[in-house]
CSV table of all heavy atoms in Angstrom, one decimal:
chain,number,residue,atom,x,y,z
A,268,PHE,N,-172.1,-32.8,8.2
A,268,PHE,CA,-171.8,-34.0,7.4
A,268,PHE,C,-170.8,-33.8,6.3
A,268,PHE,O,-170.3,-34.8,5.7
A,268,PHE,CB,-173.2,-34.4,6.7
A,268,PHE,CG,-174.1,-35.3,7.5
A,268,PHE,CD1,-175.5,-35.1,7.4
A,268,PHE,CD2,-173.7,-36.3,8.3
A,268,PHE,CE1,-176.3,-36.0,8.2
A,268,PHE,CE2,-174.4,-37.1,9.1
A,268,PHE,CZ,-175.7,-37.0,9.0
A,269,THR,N,-170.2,-32.6,6.1
A,269,THR,CA,-169.1,-32.5,5.2
A,269,THR,C,-167.7,-32.8,5.9
A,269,THR,O,-166.8,-32.9,5.3
A,269,THR,CB,-169.0,-31.0,4.7
A,269,THR,OG1,-168.9,-30.1,5.8
A,269,THR,CG2,-170.4,-30.7,3.8
A,287,ILE,N,-172.6,-42.2,6.3
A,287,ILE,CA,-173.7,-41.2,6.5
A,287,ILE,C,-175.1,-41.9,6.5
A,287,ILE,O,-175.9,-41.6,7.3
A,287,ILE,CB,-173.8,-40.1,5.5
A,287,ILE,CG1,-172.5,-39.2,5.7
A,287,ILE,CG2,-175.0,-39.2,5.5
A,287,ILE,CD1,-172.4,-38.0,4.8
A,291,LEU,N,-177.7,-41.7,9.6
A,291,LEU,CA,-179.1,-41.1,9.4
A,291,LEU,C,-180.1,-42.1,9.8
A,291,LEU,O,-181.1,-41.8,10.5
A,291,LEU,CB,-179.3,-40.9,7.9
A,291,LEU,CG,-178.7,-39.6,7.3
A,291,LEU,CD1,-178.9,-39.4,5.9
A,291,LEU,CD2,-179.1,-38.3,8.0
A,295,TRP,N,-183.1,-41.2,12.5
A,295,TRP,CA,-184.6,-41.4,12.2
A,295,TRP,C,-185.2,-42.3,13.2
A,295,TRP,O,-186.4,-41.9,13.8
A,295,TRP,CB,-184.9,-41.8,10.7
A,295,TRP,CG,-184.2,-41.2,9.6
A,295,TRP,CD1,-183.6,-41.9,8.6
A,295,TRP,CD2,-183.9,-39.8,9.4
A,295,TRP,NE1,-183.1,-40.9,7.7
A,295,TRP,CE2,-183.3,-39.7,8.1
A,295,TRP,CE3,-184.2,-38.6,10.2
A,295,TRP,CZ2,-182.8,-38.5,7.7
A,295,TRP,CZ3,-183.8,-37.4,9.6
A,295,TRP,CH2,-183.1,-37.4,8.4
A,302,ILE,N,-182.9,-32.8,9.6
A,302,ILE,CA,-181.5,-32.3,9.9
A,302,ILE,C,-181.1,-31.2,9.0
A,302,ILE,O,-181.4,-31.2,7.8
A,302,ILE,CB,-180.6,-33.6,9.7
A,302,ILE,CG1,-180.8,-34.7,10.8
A,302,ILE,CG2,-179.2,-33.2,9.8
A,302,ILE,CD1,-180.1,-35.9,10.6
A,303,ILE,N,-180.4,-30.2,9.7
A,303,ILE,CA,-179.8,-29.2,8.8
A,303,ILE,C,-178.4,-29.5,8.8
A,303,ILE,O,-177.6,-29.5,9.8
A,303,ILE,CB,-180.1,-27.7,9.5
A,303,ILE,CG1,-181.7,-27.6,9.4
A,303,ILE,CG2,-179.5,-26.7,8.6
A,303,ILE,CD1,-182.0,-26.3,10.2
A,304,VAL,N,-177.9,-29.6,7.5
A,304,VAL,CA,-176.5,-29.8,7.3
A,304,VAL,C,-175.8,-28.5,7.2
A,304,VAL,O,-176.2,-27.6,6.3
A,304,VAL,CB,-176.1,-30.6,5.9
A,304,VAL,CG1,-174.8,-30.8,5.8
A,304,VAL,CG2,-177.1,-31.9,5.9
A,305,MET,N,-174.9,-28.1,8.1
A,305,MET,CA,-174.3,-26.7,8.0
A,305,MET,C,-173.0,-26.8,7.4
A,305,MET,O,-172.3,-27.9,7.1
A,305,MET,CB,-174.2,-26.3,9.5
A,305,MET,CG,-173.5,-27.2,10.4
A,305,MET,SD,-173.8,-26.8,12.0
A,305,MET,CE,-172.4,-25.7,12.3
A,310,GLU,N,-167.2,-23.7,-0.7
A,310,GLU,CA,-167.0,-25.1,-1.2
A,310,GLU,C,-167.9,-26.1,-0.3
A,310,GLU,O,-168.6,-26.9,-0.9
A,310,GLU,CB,-165.5,-25.5,-1.2
A,310,GLU,CG,-165.1,-26.7,-1.8
A,310,GLU,CD,-165.8,-26.8,-3.3
A,310,GLU,OE1,-165.8,-26.0,-4.1
A,310,GLU,OE2,-166.4,-27.9,-3.4
A,311,GLU,N,-167.9,-25.9,0.9
A,311,GLU,CA,-168.6,-26.7,1.8
A,311,GLU,C,-170.1,-26.5,1.8
A,311,GLU,O,-170.9,-27.4,1.8
A,311,GLU,CB,-168.3,-26.4,3.4
A,311,GLU,CG,-167.3,-27.3,3.8
A,311,GLU,CD,-167.0,-27.1,5.4
A,311,GLU,OE1,-167.9,-26.5,6.1
A,311,GLU,OE2,-165.9,-27.4,5.8
A,312,SER,N,-170.5,-25.3,1.2
A,312,SER,CA,-171.9,-25.0,1.1
A,312,SER,C,-172.3,-25.8,-0.2
A,312,SER,O,-173.5,-26.4,-0.2
A,312,SER,CB,-172.1,-23.5,0.8
A,312,SER,OG,-171.8,-22.7,1.8
A,313,ARG,N,-171.5,-26.0,-1.1
A,313,ARG,CA,-171.9,-26.7,-2.4
A,313,ARG,C,-172.0,-28.3,-1.9
A,313,ARG,O,-172.9,-28.9,-2.3
A,313,ARG,CB,-170.8,-26.7,-3.4
A,313,ARG,CG,-170.7,-25.3,-4.1
A,313,ARG,CD,-169.9,-25.3,-5.4
A,313,ARG,NE,-169.8,-24.1,-5.9
A,313,ARG,CZ,-168.8,-23.2,-5.9
A,313,ARG,NH1,-167.6,-23.6,-5.4
A,313,ARG,NH2,-168.8,-22.0,-6.6
A,314,GLU,N,-171.1,-28.7,-1.1
A,314,GLU,CA,-171.1,-30.0,-0.6
A,314,GLU,C,-172.3,-30.4,0.2
A,314,GLU,O,-173.1,-31.4,0.1
A,314,GLU,CB,-169.9,-30.4,0.2
A,314,GLU,CG,-168.5,-30.5,-0.5
A,314,GLU,CD,-167.3,-30.6,0.4
A,314,GLU,OE1,-167.5,-31.2,1.4
A,314,GLU,OE2,-166.3,-30.1,-0.1
A,315,ALA,N,-172.7,-29.4,1.0
A,315,ALA,CA,-173.8,-29.5,2.0
A,315,ALA,C,-175.1,-29.6,1.2
A,315,ALA,O,-176.0,-30.4,1.5
A,315,ALA,CB,-173.8,-28.4,3.1
A,316,LEU,N,-175.2,-28.8,0.1
A,316,LEU,CA,-176.4,-28.9,-0.7
A,316,LEU,C,-176.5,-30.2,-1.4
A,316,LEU,O,-177.6,-30.8,-1.4
A,316,LEU,CB,-176.3,-27.7,-1.8
A,316,LEU,CG,-177.5,-27.7,-2.8
A,316,LEU,CD1,-178.9,-27.6,-2.0
A,316,LEU,CD2,-177.5,-26.5,-3.7
A,317,ALA,N,-175.4,-30.7,-1.9
A,317,ALA,CA,-175.5,-32.0,-2.6
A,317,ALA,C,-175.8,-33.2,-1.6
A,317,ALA,O,-176.6,-34.0,-2.0
A,317,ALA,CB,-174.0,-32.4,-3.2
A,318,ILE,N,-175.4,-33.1,-0.3
A,318,ILE,CA,-175.8,-34.1,0.7
A,318,ILE,C,-177.3,-33.8,1.0
A,318,ILE,O,-178.0,-34.8,1.0
A,318,ILE,CB,-175.0,-33.9,2.0
A,318,ILE,CG1,-173.5,-34.3,1.7
A,318,ILE,CG2,-175.4,-34.8,3.1
A,318,ILE,CD1,-172.5,-33.9,2.8
A,319,ALA,N,-177.7,-32.6,1.1
A,319,ALA,CA,-179.2,-32.4,1.5
A,319,ALA,C,-180.1,-33.1,0.3
A,319,ALA,O,-181.2,-33.4,0.6
A,319,ALA,CB,-179.4,-31.0,1.7
A,320,GLU,N,-179.6,-33.0,-0.8
A,320,GLU,CA,-180.4,-33.4,-2.1
A,320,GLU,C,-180.6,-35.0,-1.9
A,320,GLU,O,-181.4,-35.5,-2.7
A,320,GLU,CB,-179.9,-33.0,-3.3
A,320,GLU,CG,-180.0,-31.5,-3.5
A,320,GLU,CD,-179.5,-31.1,-5.0
A,320,GLU,OE1,-180.2,-31.4,-6.0
A,320,GLU,OE2,-178.4,-30.5,-5.0
A,321,THR,N,-179.9,-35.7,-1.1
A,321,THR,CA,-179.9,-37.1,-1.1
A,321,THR,C,-181.2,-37.6,-0.3
A,321,THR,O,-181.5,-38.9,-0.3
A,321,THR,CB,-178.6,-37.8,-0.5
A,321,THR,OG1,-178.5,-37.4,0.8
A,321,THR,CG2,-177.4,-37.4,-1.4
A,322,ASP,N,-181.8,-36.8,0.5
A,322,ASP,CA,-182.9,-37.2,1.4
A,322,ASP,C,-183.8,-36.1,1.7
A,322,ASP,O,-183.4,-35.0,1.9
A,322,ASP,CB,-182.4,-37.7,2.7
A,322,ASP,CG,-183.3,-38.4,3.5
A,322,ASP,OD1,-184.4,-37.9,3.9
A,322,ASP,OD2,-183.2,-39.7,3.7
A,323,GLY,N,-185.2,-36.4,1.6
A,323,GLY,CA,-186.2,-35.3,1.7
A,323,GLY,C,-186.2,-34.7,3.1
A,323,GLY,O,-186.7,-33.7,3.3
A,324,ARG,N,-185.4,-35.3,4.1
A,324,ARG,CA,-185.5,-34.8,5.5
A,324,ARG,C,-184.3,-34.1,5.7
A,324,ARG,O,-184.1,-33.6,6.9
A,324,ARG,CB,-185.6,-36.0,6.5
A,324,ARG,CG,-186.9,-36.7,6.3
A,324,ARG,CD,-186.8,-38.2,6.9
A,324,ARG,NE,-186.1,-39.1,6.1
A,324,ARG,CZ,-186.1,-40.4,6.3
A,324,ARG,NH1,-186.7,-41.0,7.3
A,324,ARG,NH2,-185.3,-41.1,5.5
A,325,LEU,N,-183.4,-33.9,4.8
A,325,LEU,CA,-182.2,-33.1,5.1
A,325,LEU,C,-182.4,-31.7,4.3
A,325,LEU,O,-182.8,-31.6,3.2
A,325,LEU,CB,-181.0,-33.8,4.3
A,325,LEU,CG,-180.7,-35.2,4.9
A,325,LEU,CD1,-179.4,-35.8,4.1
A,325,LEU,CD2,-180.2,-35.1,6.4
A,326,PHE,N,-181.8,-30.8,5.0
A,326,PHE,CA,-181.8,-29.4,4.7
A,326,PHE,C,-180.4,-28.8,4.9
A,326,PHE,O,-179.6,-29.5,5.5
A,326,PHE,CB,-182.9,-28.6,5.4
A,326,PHE,CG,-184.2,-29.1,5.1
A,326,PHE,CD1,-184.7,-30.2,5.9
A,326,PHE,CD2,-185.0,-28.7,4.0
A,326,PHE,CE1,-185.9,-30.7,5.6
A,326,PHE,CE2,-186.3,-29.3,3.7
A,326,PHE,CZ,-186.8,-30.3,4.6
A,327,CYS,N,-180.1,-27.5,4.3
A,327,CYS,CA,-178.8,-27.1,4.5
A,327,CYS,C,-178.7,-25.6,4.6
A,327,CYS,O,-179.7,-24.9,4.4
A,327,CYS,CB,-177.8,-27.6,3.4
A,327,CYS,SG,-178.3,-27.0,1.8
A,328,THR,N,-177.4,-25.0,5.0
A,328,THR,CA,-177.2,-23.6,5.1
A,328,THR,C,-176.3,-23.3,4.0
A,328,THR,O,-175.6,-24.2,3.3
A,328,THR,CB,-176.7,-23.2,6.4
A,328,THR,OG1,-175.3,-23.9,6.6
A,328,THR,CG2,-177.5,-23.7,7.6
A,329,VAL,N,-176.1,-21.9,3.7
A,329,VAL,CA,-175.1,-21.4,2.7
A,329,VAL,C,-174.5,-20.2,3.4
A,329,VAL,O,-175.2,-19.3,3.8
A,329,VAL,CB,-175.7,-21.0,1.4
A,329,VAL,CG1,-174.7,-20.2,0.6
A,329,VAL,CG2,-176.0,-22.3,0.5
A,354,SER,N,-175.9,-16.9,-5.6
A,354,SER,CA,-176.5,-17.9,-6.6
A,354,SER,C,-176.7,-19.3,-6.1
A,354,SER,O,-177.6,-19.9,-6.5
A,354,SER,CB,-175.8,-17.8,-8.0
A,354,SER,OG,-174.4,-18.4,-7.8
A,355,LEU,N,-175.7,-19.8,-5.3
A,355,LEU,CA,-175.9,-21.0,-4.7
A,355,LEU,C,-177.0,-21.2,-3.7
A,355,LEU,O,-177.9,-22.0,-3.8
A,355,LEU,CB,-174.6,-21.4,-4.0
A,355,LEU,CG,-174.6,-22.9,-3.3
A,355,LEU,CD1,-174.7,-24.0,-4.4
A,355,LEU,CD2,-173.5,-23.1,-2.4
A,356,ALA,N,-177.2,-20.0,-3.0
A,356,ALA,CA,-178.4,-20.0,-2.1
A,356,ALA,C,-179.7,-19.9,-2.8
A,356,ALA,O,-180.6,-20.6,-2.5
A,356,ALA,CB,-178.3,-18.7,-1.1
A,357,LYS,N,-179.7,-19.2,-3.9
A,357,LYS,CA,-181.0,-19.1,-4.7
A,357,LYS,C,-181.3,-20.5,-5.3
A,357,LYS,O,-182.5,-20.9,-5.4
A,357,LYS,CB,-180.8,-18.1,-5.8
A,357,LYS,CG,-180.9,-16.6,-5.3
A,357,LYS,CD,-180.7,-15.6,-6.3
A,357,LYS,CE,-181.1,-14.2,-5.9
A,357,LYS,NZ,-180.8,-13.2,-6.8
A,358,GLU,N,-180.3,-21.1,-5.8
A,358,GLU,CA,-180.4,-22.5,-6.4
A,358,GLU,C,-181.0,-23.4,-5.4
A,358,GLU,O,-181.9,-24.2,-5.5
A,358,GLU,CB,-179.1,-23.0,-6.9
A,358,GLU,CG,-179.2,-24.4,-7.5
A,358,GLU,CD,-177.7,-25.0,-7.5
A,358,GLU,OE1,-176.8,-24.3,-7.6
A,358,GLU,OE2,-177.7,-26.3,-7.6
A,359,GLY,N,-180.4,-23.3,-4.1
A,359,GLY,CA,-180.8,-24.2,-3.0
A,359,GLY,C,-182.3,-23.9,-2.5
A,359,GLY,O,-182.9,-24.7,-2.1
A,360,ILE,N,-182.6,-22.7,-2.6
A,360,ILE,CA,-183.9,-22.3,-2.2
A,360,ILE,C,-185.0,-22.9,-3.2
A,360,ILE,O,-185.9,-23.4,-2.9
A,360,ILE,CB,-184.1,-20.8,-2.1
A,360,ILE,CG1,-183.3,-20.2,-1.0
A,360,ILE,CG2,-185.6,-20.4,-2.0
A,360,ILE,CD1,-183.1,-18.7,-1.0
A,361,GLN,N,-184.6,-22.7,-4.6
A,361,GLN,CA,-185.5,-23.3,-5.5
A,361,GLN,C,-185.7,-24.8,-5.3
A,361,GLN,O,-186.9,-25.3,-5.6
A,361,GLN,CB,-184.9,-23.0,-7.0
A,361,GLN,CG,-185.3,-21.7,-7.4
A,361,GLN,CD,-184.8,-21.4,-8.9
A,361,GLN,OE1,-183.6,-21.8,-9.2
A,361,GLN,NE2,-185.5,-20.9,-9.7
A,362,LYS,N,-184.6,-25.4,-4.9
A,362,LYS,CA,-184.6,-26.9,-4.7
A,362,LYS,C,-185.3,-27.3,-3.4
A,362,LYS,O,-185.5,-28.3,-3.0
A,362,LYS,CB,-183.2,-27.5,-4.6
A,362,LYS,CG,-182.8,-27.5,-6.2
A,362,LYS,CD,-181.2,-27.9,-6.0
A,362,LYS,CE,-180.7,-28.2,-7.6
A,362,LYS,NZ,-179.2,-28.5,-7.6
A,363,GLY,N,-185.7,-26.3,-2.6
A,363,GLY,CA,-186.4,-26.5,-1.3
A,363,GLY,C,-185.4,-26.9,-0.3
A,363,GLY,O,-185.9,-27.6,0.7
A,364,LYS,N,-184.2,-26.6,-0.4
A,364,LYS,CA,-183.2,-27.2,0.5
A,364,LYS,C,-182.5,-26.2,1.4
A,364,LYS,O,-182.2,-26.5,2.5
A,364,LYS,CB,-182.2,-28.0,-0.3
A,364,LYS,CG,-182.7,-29.3,-0.9
A,364,LYS,CD,-182.8,-30.3,0.2
A,364,LYS,CE,-183.5,-31.5,-0.3
A,364,LYS,NZ,-183.9,-32.3,0.8
A,365,VAL,N,-182.3,-25.1,0.9
A,365,VAL,CA,-181.4,-24.2,1.7
A,365,VAL,C,-182.4,-23.4,2.7
A,365,VAL,O,-183.4,-22.7,2.1
A,365,VAL,CB,-180.6,-23.1,0.9
A,365,VAL,CG1,-180.1,-22.0,1.6
A,365,VAL,CG2,-179.6,-23.9,0.1
A,366,VAL,N,-182.1,-23.5,4.0
A,366,VAL,CA,-183.0,-22.9,4.9
A,366,VAL,C,-182.5,-21.8,5.8
A,366,VAL,O,-183.3,-21.2,6.5
A,366,VAL,CB,-183.6,-24.0,5.8
A,366,VAL,CG1,-184.5,-24.9,5.0
A,366,VAL,CG2,-182.6,-24.8,6.6
Side-chain angles (χ1 to χ4, degrees):
F268 271 145
T269 60
I287 288 181
L291 284 175
W295 312 138
I302 289 171
I303 300 175
V304 184
M305 54 195 268
E310 194 40 52
E311 262 180 28
S312 298
R313 291 192 181 112
E314 288 170 33
L316 179 55
I318 292 168
E320 287 185 76
T321 63
D322 191 297
R324 296 161 287 190
L325 297 178
F326 301 88
C327 66
T328 67
V329 166
S354 67
L355 184 66
K357 286 180 168 169
E358 178 198 336
I360 291 167
Q361 276 182 320
K362 289 175 169 171
K364 287 294 171 185
V365 172
V366 291

